[in-house]
Amino acid sequence: FSLVRVKSTWKSKLGKKINKNEAECVSPAKYENITERGSSWTVVSPITFTYKVTETHGLLDPSNDTLLFGHITDPQQLQEIKISNKPIRRFLVIDQEVFNIYGPKLTEYLTVNNVVYKILALPTNEESKSMETALKILDDVNNFALDRRTEPIIAIGGGVCLDIVGLAASLYRRRTPYIRVPTTLLSYIDASVGAKTGVNFANCKNKLGAYIPPAAALLDLSFIATIPRRHISNGLAEMLKMALMKHQGLFELLEEHGCMLLDTKFQTDSTLYGHSNTDAASQTTRIAITTMLEELAPNLWEDDLNRLVDFGHLISPALEMKVLPSLLHGEAVNIDMSYMVYVSCESGLLTEEEKQRIISCMVGLELPVWHEEFTMELIQKSLQDRLKHSGGLVRMPLPVGLGQAIFNNTSFDTLHRAYIKWCE
């Protein structure tokens, strides 16, 4: 049966041919009714998510209305909101350290634009990435009496902040729109552009969560200027992941300009490096985001278990949780990738020269390439857990040369030989 709307109600119509004159619209949803041995209905209901990822400059400049209206895709709706006398209301959750730096600028922005607002500043790190924090946010959202149709929650911070707020928004009234504003390099090219939300649970990373993308991700590289150098390296690890899996050109950019990007913190107004820095900063971020979206958009709910974006994420979640808070997310990912490069070489997928070139690039990006807690025991346990959740196959993404990858179920002997060489 097709489902068509006639006179403001939905009707089922048998067959594929629908008289367009009779129907106000035809839904992409369909269902099948079988009446043998009782009734059975099979429903196919396609769900489409539309969200914007927008690069902008001066997001907190009072003359820039992107923060308030950048999520709206309908020009007519935007015009109606702008000429309406109804006050603009926004609930904002911001990382405490980010608020310490940008709080005055943010409050000035909201005041100048006559916004009725509530700012909730919270410490957001892996230790506080919990259901308790999400419920604290929801309690304040409820007290603010948010209108979920027209008043998106705004999350400003690193990946942990964006994940927690995303989950809270997906729970409030079953789905409240939210906006992501990343303030770290890692969240700029990773957490902000996907659909995953989550909190840690039962000592496992992101064990509770949902696939609900933001209404918009608003990206402004100027936030990166105030984060420590170590956090720049942390983000470069996720860039390197996409380079090794999909884009040799991105790898070569990181190999050549990584040190400069660390020195300048991706800021384009540096006189030290001139135009080369401007080009490298914009090229690397855009390639990283594009390649990430290429992988995420067709597989937003991760129905396809072969995911290139899982490179570096097979053993790193367990390592990261085990040694909290000593490793940042990207650092743990890079240690995982470093080991997998040795596995790839041992499997004949990388030459010795390519392996050394990748490891040298990692070191040049000031990323750790080994950790004493990354043991064979941890590897085996992590891969066993992986088997449970990936259809009985490890589905290990491994680099093939520079910028390509395959999925490989590697033998224990190969993993062990690679581990010995990696430790040496």
Side-chain angles (χ1 to χ4, degrees), residues 4-7 17-26:
V4 301
R5 191 161 64 193
V6 181
K7 296 181 180 179
K17 291 185 178 180
I18 304 296
N19 187 337
K20 300 293 183 182
N21 296 326
E22 295 178 7
E24 294 170 29
C25 75
V26 180

Side-chain angles (χ1 to χ4, degrees), residues 2 6 22 51 76 141 159 184 186 217-218 221 223 235 290 342 380:
S2 294
V6 181
E22 295 178 7
Y51 65 102
Q76 183 178 345
V141 165
T184 65
L186 187 139
L218 307 176
L221 270 176
F223 285 112
T290 299
Y342 273 76
Q380 286 179 275

Side-chain angles (χ1 to χ4, degrees), residues 202-222:
N203 203 36
C204 291
K205 192 169 172 64
N206 296 324
K207 200 164 190 178
L208 300 180
Y211 295 107
I212 303 289
L218 307 176
L219 314 182
D220 184 349
L221 270 176
S222 65

Side-chain angles (χ1 to χ4, degrees), residues 28 56 71 89 117 133 135 191 208 249 253 286 342 357 365 416:
T56 186
H71 63 289
R89 300 174 78 253
Y117 66 89
T133 305
L135 291 172
L208 300 180
L253 281 168
R286 286 178 186 175
Y342 273 76
R357 192 174 163 189
L365 299 177
H416 190 259

Side-chain angles (χ1 to χ4, degrees), residues 390-416:
S390 58
L393 297 172
V394 176
R395 302 174 194 272
M396 183 184 294
L398 291 175
V400 180
L402 303 170
Q404 295 184 64
I406 64 166
F407 294 93
N408 196 2
N409 292 298
T410 307
S411 69
F412 176 79
D413 286 346
T414 302
L415 292 171
H416 190 259

Side-chain angles (χ1 to χ4, degrees), residues 2-3 35 42 87 105 115 137 290 358:
S2 294
L3 293 164
T35 55
T42 301
K105 201 169 184 179
V115 179
I137 294 168
T290 299
I358 293 168

Side-chain angles (χ1 to χ4, degrees), residues 71-204:
H71 63 289
I72 299 172
T73 56
D74 182 351
Q76 183 178 345
Q77 182 189 2
L78 179 60
Q79 185 62 24
E80 288 172 358
I81 290 172
K82 286 188 173 182
I83 63 175
S84 169
N85 292 324
K86 186 179 177 182
I88 301 167
R89 300 174 78 253
R90 291 293 183 269
F91 186 93
L92 304 96
V93 183
I94 185 169
D95 176 82
Q96 183 67 63
E97 291 187 24
V98 177
F99 184 75
N100 293 341
I101 299 169
Y102 295 101
K105 201 169 184 179
L106 177 61
T107 52
E108 180 192 6
Y109 176 93
L110 297 168
T111 303
V112 169
N113 284 285
N114 300 313
V115 179
V116 177
Y117 66 89
K118 160 74 175 177
I119 297 175
L120 178 61
L122 293 173
T124 55
N125 49 42
E126 287 295 338
E127 296 93 317
S128 65
K129 193 178 186 182
S130 64
M131 205 65 209
E132 288 74 20
T133 305
L135 291 172
K136 161 64 179 166
I137 294 168
L138 289 170
D139 195 42
D140 282 43
V141 165
N142 193 51
N143 291 335
F144 187 69
L146 191 85
D147 179 352
R148 77 176 187 92
R149 301 289 179 188
T150 60
E151 298 168 2
I153 300 170
I154 299 175
I156 304 175
V160 171
C161 178
L162 306 187
D163 279 359
I164 300 171
V165 176
L167 179 60
S170 72
L171 293 173
Y172 189 69
R173 298 182 66 86
R174 295 191 175 89
R175 183 180 167 222
T176 295
Y178 67 102
I179 292 169
R180 286 173 167 163
V181 179
T183 59
T184 65
L185 180 61
L186 187 139
S187 60
Y188 191 100
I189 53 100
D190 184 25
S192 67
V193 302
K196 290 198 284 191
T197 69
V199 295
N200 301 333
F201 178 72
N203 203 36
C204 291

Side-chain angles (χ1 to χ4, degrees), residues 327-343:
L327 282 177
L328 300 175
H329 174 71
E331 293 172 336
V333 167
N334 198 77
I335 290 164
D336 189 326
M337 292 195 298
S338 171
Y339 168 65
M340 291 300 172
V341 164
Y342 273 76
V343 172

